[in-house]
Amino acid sequence: MKSSRTKLAAAVLPLAFAATSLVAAPTATATESATCTHPAWSNKDSDTGRLKSSELLAPIHTGPNAGCRITADILHGDVVYYHCFVNNSSGNSWTHVRVRIDVYDFNGWVWDEYLADNGATHRC
């Protein structure tokens, strides 16, 4: 039996790929994608957030740039727990987050442009 989240993802994903987002994730340079860094982070921010109303989903990356591997997707309506933020080598701000999906917790980096309140307020 599929969870309601799986059903929602199955319904939303085709729409997300068919639609053009108003904000596109920054592209990674060849150097960034080849050497995806995993900066140190700690839980310095106790705030939570959600995606912008215009975003259906946002990828969670292993590092703070678009060239890093995606480990999960945040769906519109998910509560995101903030840890801290960094600016990558391109100057883009990324927040380290935790999100609970079904019974699993995922940690990783989300580009702040996807987040309604622009992410964490405490630097890593």
Side-chain angles (χ1 to χ4, degrees), residues 15-36:
L15 295 174
F17 290 116
T20 302
S21 177
L22 295 176
V23 178
T27 57
T29 65
T31 304
E32 284 177 330
S33 50
T35 60
C36 185

Side-chain angles (χ1 to χ4, degrees), residues 92-107:
N92 297 307
S93 179
W94 290 68
T95 294
H96 195 274
V97 301
R98 177 179 64 85
V99 63
R100 186 159 187 86
I101 300 173
D102 292 326
V103 296
Y104 302 101
D105 284 333
F106 291 91
N107 288 286

Side-chain angles (χ1 to χ4, degrees), residues 73-97:
D73 287 309
I74 301 167
L75 294 179
H76 187 79
D78 287 345
V79 174
V80 180
Y81 298 90
Y82 297 154
H83 295 149
C84 59
F85 79 93
V86 298
N87 292 98
N88 66 10
S89 61
S90 298
N92 297 307
S93 179
W94 290 68
T95 294
H96 195 274
V97 301

Side-chain angles (χ1 to χ4, degrees), residues 12 16 19-23 49-58 74-78 82 112-118:
V12 169
T20 302
S21 177
L22 295 176
V23 178
R50 295 182 187 272
L51 297 182
K52 288 181 178 178
S53 60
S54 60
E55 299 297 334
L56 295 176
L57 60 89
I74 301 167
L75 294 179
H76 187 79
D78 287 345
Y82 297 154
D112 286 345
E113 286 295 318
Y114 286 122
L115 302 170
D117 59 1
N118 296 313

Side-chain angles (χ1 to χ4, degrees), residues 2-17 57 75:
K2 290 185 178 183
S3 72
S4 61
R5 180 174 188 88
T6 305
K7 291 177 188 174
L8 175 63
V12 169
L13 286 177
L15 295 174
F17 290 116
L57 60 89
L75 294 179

